[in-house]
Amino acid sequence: MAAMDLPQGVLEGPDGGLAASEEDESPVYPTVIQQAKMNMRKFNNCVVLTRMGGFYELYLEHAEEYGPLLNLKVARKKTTAGPVAMAGFPFYQLDRFLKILVQDLNKYVAISEEFPNNASEKIKSGGLLFDRRVTRIVTPGTLVDEKFMNPYENNFLLAISPETYIDEAVLPGCNSPEGDILEKYAQLKIGLAWLDLSTGEFFTQATTPAVLPSAIARIGAREMILTTAMDTKLKQNILTLLGNEKHLITWYPDPPKTLHMSEWTPMLESPVSDANRALFSPEEVLAGNMLLHYVQDRLQGLGIKLQSPVKRQESENMAVDKNSLRGLEILETLRTGIAGGRGSLLHTIRRTVTKSGARLLRERISSPSTSLDVINQRLNLVETLIQDPALLEDIMTLLRRTFDSQRLVQKFSLGRGDADDLISLLRTIAATENIADAIRCSIKRNVDAEGVPSVEGPFSRLLLRLSLSGPNALALRISEAIDEDGLMASHRVERIQSSSIIAMAQGVLNAEGESDDLQAMSQVVRSKLCDSAPKQPASDEDEVWIMRRNASSILENLHDKLVTLRDEKTALTAKIGSEIGAPNLTLRWTPGMGHICHVRGTKEVRASLEHPSSSRGGTTTKSTRSFYMAEWSKLGGSIDQVKMQMRAEEQRVFLELRDFVVFNLVKLRRNAAVLDELDVACSGTVLAKEQSFVRPILNNGTSHKIISGRHPTVKLGLEEQGRTFVSNDCLVGEKQRIWLVTGPNMAGKSTFLRQNALISILAQVGSFVPAEHAEIGIVDQIFSRIGSADNLFEDQSTFMVEMLETATILTQATPRSFVIMDEVGRGTTPEDGIAVGYACLHHLYHTNRCRTLFATHFHVLADMTKDWQGLGCYCTDVTESSAGSFSYVHRLRPGINRQSHALKVAKLAGIPPSAIRVAAQILGTSQHSSAGQVESQTLQHVSSTG
């Protein structure tokens, strides 16, 4: 049974009254608290927020546990069942507290909203005006339009569904049921399905245990779902594969019914064709089923319209394993861990001007393409924009006028969009049309000597993908229906109307809050407090309308009728004022008194009291008087009825517009995808012009030919310090599959390794690269063994972590892979380290046969591999002056540098001179004593094993 199928709110007994708890025979709580208590029992893994007028409240143990975490004052309300803990906050601060609970504390939050009770429901609930039901469960992976969402990243929710049965007898090499996981479960099929509820993107992928950690790192899901039906041993092994990465895992029961993919259609913008269904594995379908069921449960039955699922093929993208994502600092830096933070590759190359474009760039950089056609199409766009700076400027200017239409459209598909979102969509559609016009003009403007458009190829494909007719009709309908001036006026009225609630909250904070509570009120809220409500009640002429009067024929007739009624009101005002001798009389409506006649001034009050027709009801003071008259009560009621009809008609028109948006859902999403691609292309163009990047040449070979390559991030950092970056060539591939790099500490070996890996990634992203020339054979996987770290929580030493990363490389790298390995074997004794380093080189050279950059301080490895024709030795160096100063030579040259110059680095780091002298003495006597012995033993072993 799904959570949504369980009863919510008040549980009714057989007689229609409240049902007492079977577990608790104490007096029941007041009805509102009882409703909250029942919701807390149903959603026992959630923090329940209950709407009470202008506030959201926490009750009972939730108030005691989470009130202090949210810095809320916990009060105790006396009830017949005893004191009840409660804590609350104003409704307008919901996003702020959701951020703390969901994003910071990784909690699930059930939001219980108010629903008006009809007459019979009021009796059953003990006279309550509202029932309270949970309308949505907010989890880290099911955010829709919350303001605290990171606009530059997708908010993915991931479901993992491994096959449920494994016959250990058929698995090779499983001599023990406790054997190595990657060996024991090598044949395990795992289905992945993930979606972003804020954009509607939906993907699936079939994978294996060996690739699972890297796939998860690439997806970067905020929440992962695993089935509770998984057997204990499989659960342990899956969790081991996930590692200690602090993933948020939700254990969820299998859906009661396994849906065929054809049954996903109500949740998709378009059905999956029969031909495409055959592409999805059973495990992917199971993962998709669990994912969709979970989302429906979290949204409490709210309809969704996702994009059709896209099956990701591992062969279509370069696999960047999780160690490389982290070690190469592609998405975040090791120092800060902030996504897209300063120093990361993403931060260095991002020049996008839209939020959705930034998300697309992040997706591409974490999953580069392996298709020559796709890569060259992206490069063609960049090259064309470089050649046409006017088009570049036009597109970027227009892109800045667009809004995040992917998320806007998804809001409407979930029934959550408003009039402001329609205006944002209108602006985006208009900018899209202007961008298409700018491209067409550029194609006509740029022709060669024979009159053939020079930019037609790369941009004509994008123009063909744009669907403008439907969205343009939508934009026209929005502009004809919505009055933007009225919309702005309505916002001012809303701020005024909310001022009383805000003032109430301010009063509570002043009376009971602390200084931190007062500081927490945002500047926007403080400004609202300054917008005091008008001293005089608003007249019906002050009513604002967000729809134009001609938005529909019904609305136009109602506006005409309202004008007529207001004319009658004006005439009635003059008539009554003349009759009672009060020319300043006004006809008003107030919440407390209804439709009244109001007189100001002592003389006018006395005159009105003398007129018998004005003596019915009302209130009188020395200078004001309010009273009722039947004519105004009747006319006022007619005006109210017309305004109510106008509100209803405006709502109908708005819903019609929302349906129109959903009707154009597919076209709007396709157009948004084109805008994102243009934004990424413009970003690459600006980057290439700023940093003098060149277009790489991609081919199906297995060689790198990079001339004067640069590290994109380190170069910028050095330039900020007024220093220059020394570029280097990399010619690894068919002639020399492995480059063995030696040299001093701090001389740039690690930078050289990293920069060539990053250049490979940028090239297959479809970006220009930091080099003077680059020819790169398509890389299927990038692996890196760089840096050092332990994992004490998992009982893994630094050397163990190093060996785990090395094992991944040696078991998974193919002849089309690109591998960088830095200081393999340094976490153990020199003898063992040299042996391990040589074994890695031997395996990479003879078995994996992949492009490899291998940096080491074990200089003896160069002697041990001197007969390998496919291995080249290169080094960096140090130059010393007669005065004893030195400088690094970062330029690589052929050869071996047998001096690491570690004592120079130690001296720069501030090691005491006495310690430096002792180290120099020891180094002089023992520098070569052990290396020859290790070399001899290792060569004997190699010759004996073949």
Side-chain angles (χ1 to χ4, degrees), residues 421-431 474-476 478-479 484:
D421 294 323
L422 286 174
I423 295 298
S424 298
L425 204 55
L426 168 66
R427 299 277 185 269
T428 302
I429 294 171
L474 169 64
L476 179 62
I478 292 173
S479 63
E484 294 188 51

Side-chain angles (χ1 to χ4, degrees), residues 700-704 732-739 777-781 783 809-821 839-854 867-871 946:
N700 286 317
T702 55
S703 296
H704 271 52
V732 66
E734 294 178 359
K735 292 183 179 180
Q736 293 181 337
R737 293 196 304 275
I738 298 179
W739 274 26
I778 291 292
V779 175
D780 64 350
Q781 301 177 86
F783 296 97
I809 295 172
L810 298 184
T811 56
Q812 297 182 25
T814 72
R816 301 197 67 85
S817 300
F818 187 80
V819 173
I820 62 172
M821 302 188 77
C840 290
L841 281 170
H842 188 274
H843 197 281
L844 289 166
Y845 186 87
H846 293 285
T847 303
N848 302 105
R849 304 180 67 82
C850 55
R851 286 161 278 183
T852 304
L853 300 179
F854 194 100
D867 295 329
W868 296 3
Q869 294 183 355
L871 181 144

